[in-house]
Structures are given as structure tokens and as C-alpha cells.
Amino acid sequence: MSPRYWLRWLLEQGTPRYALRFQARRGDPFAQLVGSTSGLYDPYPHIEELRGRGRLYKGPVGWATADYELTRAALRDSRFGIFGAHNVQLPGPLTKLIRAAELPPNPVEPPSMLVIDPPEHTRLRKSVSAAFTPRAIGRLRERIESVTAELLHALPEDGSADLIEDYAAQVPIAIIAEMLGFPQESRRQFLAWGDAASPLLDFGIAWRTWREAATAMINMDGYLDEHIARLRREPGDDILSSLVIAGDLDDRELKATASLLMGAGFETTVNLIGNGVVQLLAHPEQLARLRTEPELWPQTVEEVLRFDAPVQSTARTALCDTELGGVTLHKGSVVVLSLAGANRDPKMFENPDRFDITRSNAKDHLTFSSGIHTCLGASLARMEAGYALRSLFDRFPELALSGTPERRPLYTLHGYARLPVNLGRRATATV
């Protein structure tokens, strides 16, 4: 890869990486939170230390909050805009160096709707919103059921499995690939690209990790060029075909939107399913209750989303001089919002560190964000995860861990890389 890409990494990721490491050694709770992402990483002690520093913490690397009220307020306030590496203010010559190493359209840079503000965000979100209405999502239920049944049938009876690779990742990738018109044989490749690119949501990532992510984005860009050209010749009954036919988006916007929908379409859900399995196995009394009170499954999904959020954090920047929690923030100030911390705020959730599938206000969590950037696919993720979890435990009632689950070495996306289990006997189950 060209040296100019290394320079870009150094400016956007390398310098923050070294600063975070230095501040973590000095005991800064925010630096420790985002900098310790090994496969056995538990972020919650660091989040509670951050909470203990006050509702809005000003550390050497910026502002941060784990407060529910402040997090929700910032997410819903038009005076705060999206923050990402792309809008860090750098001197002109350094900005030119970054532009010289431009990446293809991807989920974490404009024109991806994930990282842009109105009016561009409004236009792009409107272009795909029809595919995620309650009616549209409801029509997918039958396909979700059939995909889940096929995957459960393929799991070995009385055998071992990695529930991430063999099940949790396969349910959402099958659905979102079909929604975007991608052929079945491309699913494994998209999983690999998504796994490589997901660290781009973090900051301070290593050069090798960034290089692998950039390479994945470049390879995916070539695939999308061919796929979009094919849809122009032979459009199908899918989201991307409808966008191509409408002609409202240019090629760069089409590819940014496609890559975002593909990544978001399975990243949150695979983590949600994996986290749900681990929590239910760790709380067998609550799993037993679900077997006798299956009507609690929707609430269980909400509690998993709250208790062990698949998306842990986001960031906002003040678009003007403003106030948050009684603190004056000047234009350009950046606030990191700990969604996972907000979800365990004791002022909002009683006994927040207790996993409780009967929690009445679990659905008030902020895992799917709030305001104009609320996750478009939240209803789809809930449906996929709820059906996948219930079907799994109904089909394999003796399911048990066979080793230590391995966390993904990420900060923003929070889930498991490996989830080894013994499946036990297979039961005939219907949902």
C-alpha cells in the first residue's frame, strides 16, 4: 500500500493512538475505556470509573459522558452534529495529504448517512426509509423464519459449534444480502469484508488493522461497481435496484449507502444474538422462565440491548457555542457519548448492573441511538435476534458453553468473535 496511506493513518489514527496510550498509563478513564480492547475486554468497570468523574467529564483527550439524560439530549439536539475522523480540523497541508489517500465510498466517511448531517442526511435517509417501515419489515418475517430453520437444521446434533460463525452471523447476512440484491455466494465475502472494516468505527487503531480495513473497502468497491452495473441492466426487486432505477443518488452515494446498509444490517444483529446467548446461559433461571413464559422474548431482546449494548459509543461535535449539563461547550467541541454507560445509568434504570428480562423500561435504552440518526434497521434487528434466540434455545435445550467466549477486539462494536458451544440433543421446536 502506498506510503501516503500510512501518512493518512498516522494523522487520523496513529497520533490519537499514541496519545490515548499515554493518557491511559496516567489513569485517564476515557483513554482506558477506548484503549483496552483485547479479546477478554470488559468495558463496564472503565465506564463506571468515567461515570464517577461526573456527568460530563473533561479529560486530556476531550469530553465524555455516561449520563443517560445528557447522552439522549446530545443525540436529539440539532446544535450537535456527527463527529468522525473525517471532520477533524487539521492544517491545510495535512488535509491535502489525507485527501491524496482517499478511500472508496464506505460506511464511516461522507457521503455515508452515518456520518453526515442534514440536509444531506435527510435526503439519503429518505431514499431508503421505505424499505424499513413496519409493513416492509413485517413482510420479511417468513424469510427470517425459513433462514433460521435452515441454519438450525445444519448445526450438528450432539456436536460442537461456533455460534458466531455457524449461526449468529449467518441469519442477518442472509437477510440483508437479499434485501440489497446480492447473490447468496457473496455472503461469506461480505462477512470477511465487514469483519476487516468494522474497526474503522473506532479511533486510535493500529496501522495493520487500518491497512486491512482499507484493503477490504477497496476490494468491496470493485465488487459494488460490477453489481450496480449489473442492476442497471437487470434490476431486481430489492433496495439497491430501486435506488438505481430512481436515479436520485450518484455512484459514490449509491456505494456508500450499499456498504453502510450491508455492514449495519449484520454487525449489530450478530453482536446482539451472541451477547444474548451468553447472558441467557449465564442466567439459567431467566432462561427457564422464558421456556414457560415465551411472551417475555421481546422484552428479553430489549434487556440484552440495554445490558450489553452491541453498539457502545458514538460522538457528537458542537456546531455552535452551546450548553450541555450546565457546561458551556464552544463550537467544535467533541463529546463522546457512551451509549453503554447511558444504558446502565442508575438514575434511569434500577439496579442497572443486573440482567433482568422483566425490566419494565428496558426499551428506553439508547443502543439504537436517538433523534435523526436512530438506527433505520432497529425493528429488523429486533425481529431477527428475537426469533434467532428463541428458536436456538427451543431447538437445543441442552445448549452450553464449551469454552471461554472470545470478545471482538473493538470498542464501538461490542460482541463476540468466537462463541464455542456444545449443542446437546436436538428437540423438535416451533416458534
Side-chain angles (χ1 to χ4, degrees), residues 246-258:
D248 296 328
L249 308 185
D250 62 31
D251 275 8
R252 188 167 182 83
E253 290 171 335
L254 278 172
K255 289 189 287 185
T257 300

Side-chain angles (χ1 to χ4, degrees), residues 73-89:
L75 291 172
R76 299 174 68 86
D77 193 332
S78 61
R79 294 172 298 177
F80 289 91
I82 286 290
F83 174 78
H86 64 279
N87 54 16
V88 173
Q89 298 299 312

Side-chain angles (χ1 to χ4, degrees), residues 31-352:
Q32 291 174 337
L33 174 62
V34 303
S36 302
T37 52
S38 70
L40 297 176
Y41 171 58
D42 179 4
Y44 295 103
H46 298 301
I47 289 174
E48 292 313 309
E49 186 175 351
L50 179 65
R51 192 191 312 281
R53 300 292 183 99
R55 296 182 73 205
L56 190 61
Y57 169 67
K58 178 65 167 72
V61 294
W63 296 94
T65 184
D67 183 271
Y68 183 94
E69 182 183 359
L70 297 189
T71 298
R72 186 176 184 274
L75 291 172
R76 299 174 68 86
D77 193 332
S78 61
R79 294 172 298 177
F80 289 91
I82 286 290
F83 174 78
H86 64 279
N87 54 16
V88 173
Q89 298 299 312
L90 295 171
L94 299 183
T95 301
K96 289 182 180 179
L97 284 174
I98 290 176
R99 289 176 179 169
E102 184 179 48
L103 290 176
N106 62 79
V108 298
E109 293 181 339
S112 165
M113 73 180 87
L114 181 68
V115 291
I116 57 176
D117 295 313
E120 291 82 4
H121 172 267
T122 307
R123 177 175 63 87
L124 288 177
R125 187 176 174 106
K126 184 178 180 181
S127 70
V128 298
S129 59
F132 294 93
T133 63
R135 178 176 294 182
I137 297 302
R139 288 196 294 265
L140 293 171
R141 178 178 296 277
E142 188 173 316
R143 183 58 182 142
I144 292 170
E145 293 175 357
S146 64
V147 167
T148 302
E150 292 167 9
L151 291 168
L152 288 171
H153 181 73
L155 291 175
E157 185 169 4
D158 290 328
S160 299
D162 174 4
L163 276 186
I164 300 301
E165 180 179 359
D166 299 334
Y167 185 66
Q170 301 302 325
V171 174
I173 193 64
I175 301 303
I176 195 62
E178 290 181 11
M179 290 177 71
L180 291 170
F182 295 124
Q184 180 175 347
E185 58 268 21
S186 68
R187 295 175 190 171
R188 189 168 296 277
Q189 181 62 74
F190 269 102
L191 283 172
W193 285 335
D195 189 58
S198 56
L200 291 175
L201 288 167
D202 290 353
F203 47 96
I205 64 177
W207 158 242
R208 180 178 177 181
T209 302
W210 190 93
R211 182 184 62 194
E212 291 174 352
T215 301
M217 289 296 94
I218 291 169
N219 291 335
M220 190 163 98
D221 186 65
Y223 178 95
L224 288 175
D225 278 333
E226 295 179 2
H227 184 64
I228 290 171
R230 184 165 55 249
L231 293 182
R232 285 200 169 99
R233 297 190 304 268
E234 302 173 6
D237 183 20
D238 57 81
I239 301 173
L240 201 50
S241 289
S242 66
L243 294 176
V244 169
I245 293 169
D248 296 328
L249 308 185
D250 62 31
D251 275 8
R252 188 167 182 83
E253 290 171 335
L254 278 172
K255 289 189 287 185
T257 300
S259 62
L260 172 61
L261 292 177
M262 175 57 74
F266 70 83
E267 286 290 358
T268 299
T269 309
V270 63
N271 292 343
L272 174 55
I273 295 171
N275 294 355
V277 170
V278 171
Q279 292 305 324
L280 289 169
L281 290 178
H283 298 86
E285 76 290 349
Q286 300 199 48
L287 179 57
R289 185 166 183 177
L290 282 167
R291 298 192 193 284
T292 59
E293 300 178 61
E295 66 274 11
L296 289 175
W297 271 111
Q299 199 159 314
T300 298
V301 171
E302 300 301 334
E303 179 66 349
V304 175
L305 284 162
R306 183 203 70 84
F307 184 80
D308 203 15
V311 181
Q312 293 266 304
S313 179
T314 188
R316 294 293 185 268
T317 183
L319 301 177
C320 58
D321 290 351
T322 187
E323 177 269 337
L324 184 66
V327 176
T328 298
L329 300 179
H330 296 295
K331 180 179 179 180
S333 296
V334 178
V335 184
V336 176
L337 308 173
S338 174
L339 305 177
N343 290 347
R344 293 200 183 193
D345 188 338
K347 299 191 299 297
M348 181 64 186
F349 301 101
E350 185 178 356
N351 297 320

